[in-house]
Amino acid sequence: MTTETSRRLRADAARNSGRILRAARQVWAEQGPDALLEDIARRAGVGIATLYRHFPDKAGLVRAALDQSFAEDIAPAIEQALDDDDPRRGLATVLEAAMSTAARERNTLAAARNSGAVTAEASSPFIESLTLLARRGQEAGVIREDLVPGDLPRIMVMLMGVLWTMEPGSDGWRRYLALVLDALSPGAASPLPDAVPLRSARKGGGWPV
């Protein structure tokens, strides 16, 4: 096999993979987290054997779909936030991107939870970015001093929880994000009870929680 042929086959495989992942996200959004893999393959315009060749099981498909969504929708927001001179605005940018993506991908997240597909490592880059931005905000005096790193994943769990109380497509989560951001400001701070350690993350949490 020539180098050019090998390169072309790899490119074809990458295109098929990307098409399958986007189809999966679309089908889950429309049909729910229990949609059939055959429907996903049909939407992607490939045979079910091709889907299984790329993703041997649903858990692998869900993980890759979340990775694609993170790369497309959240990673650029993190990069923008880290370049922002205002760390509080940067923190808000990342949280808003995460909640907007989660609201749109709620069935993909449900599929991840149902299949036990995602480990805590998947959310590490997201949580690390929040921690860095919060620390910068504390140093700049725009984030309350008593916030600790363990608070951030819990805050995300609280924010994510409101999605399941709203109709799909609702942007009502913005109200609660605004409340949380106000609560992180020094001007709104009142003494907090002591923080307790995080429990070991359970498999299936997924990003961004």
Side-chain angles (χ1 to χ4, degrees):
M1 182 182 297
T2 66
T3 301
E4 181 60 30
T5 300
S6 177
R7 187 181 298 117
R8 187 168 58 252
L9 289 174
R10 287 197 299 270
D12 289 344
R15 280 193 295 271
N16 279 340
S17 178
R19 192 159 58 242
I20 291 167
L21 294 175
R22 287 187 177 82
R25 291 160 59 191
Q26 292 168 1
V27 171
W28 285 323
E30 295 169 6
Q31 300 183 19
D34 298 322
L36 298 176
L37 296 185
E38 288 80 2
D39 289 340
I40 292 172
R42 191 176 304 112
R43 177 69 62 88
V46 301
I48 190 64
T50 298
L51 186 151
Y52 277 117
R53 190 158 56 245
H54 287 277
F55 306 103
D57 54 33
K58 184 176 181 179
L61 178 62
V62 172
R63 279 193 298 270
L66 288 177
D67 287 345
Q68 183 188 65
S69 182
F70 184 92
E72 291 178 351
D73 302 318
I74 299 180
I78 291 174
E79 184 175 354
Q80 175 186 340
L82 293 175
D83 287 339
D84 197 325
D85 293 334
D86 183 339
R88 186 182 185 280
R89 184 171 59 205
L91 184 63
T93 294
V94 175
L95 289 173
E96 182 174 354
M99 289 302 296
S100 179
T101 302
R104 187 173 60 253
E105 303 282 354
R106 57 188 286 170
N107 281 341
T108 304
L109 292 170
R113 184 174 61 245
N114 293 348
S115 63
V118 183
T119 61
E121 287 76 14
S123 61
S124 293
F126 174 73
I127 297 299
E128 288 169 5
S129 72
L130 292 185
T131 302
L132 176 57
L133 289 164
R135 186 180 304 119
R136 288 182 181 179
Q138 289 173 321
E139 292 170 354
V142 295
I143 296 294
R144 58 188 302 158
E145 293 182 355
D146 53 357
L147 186 75
V148 298
D151 292 329
L152 295 169
R154 285 170 169 150
I155 287 171
M156 281 309 307
V157 169
M158 290 190 295
L159 286 171
M160 290 284 290
V162 307
L163 295 178
W164 312 107
T165 70
M166 300 174 181
E167 291 296 322
S170 169
D171 65 352
W173 54 267
R174 293 183 184 277
R175 174 182 177 88
Y176 302 96
L177 176 56
L179 286 169
V180 165
L181 289 170
D182 281 351
L184 296 180
S185 299
S190 58
L192 289 174
D194 292 339
V196 298
L198 286 169
R199 293 178 60 187
S200 298
R202 293 183 297 108
K203 188 174 181 181
W207 66 265
V209 296

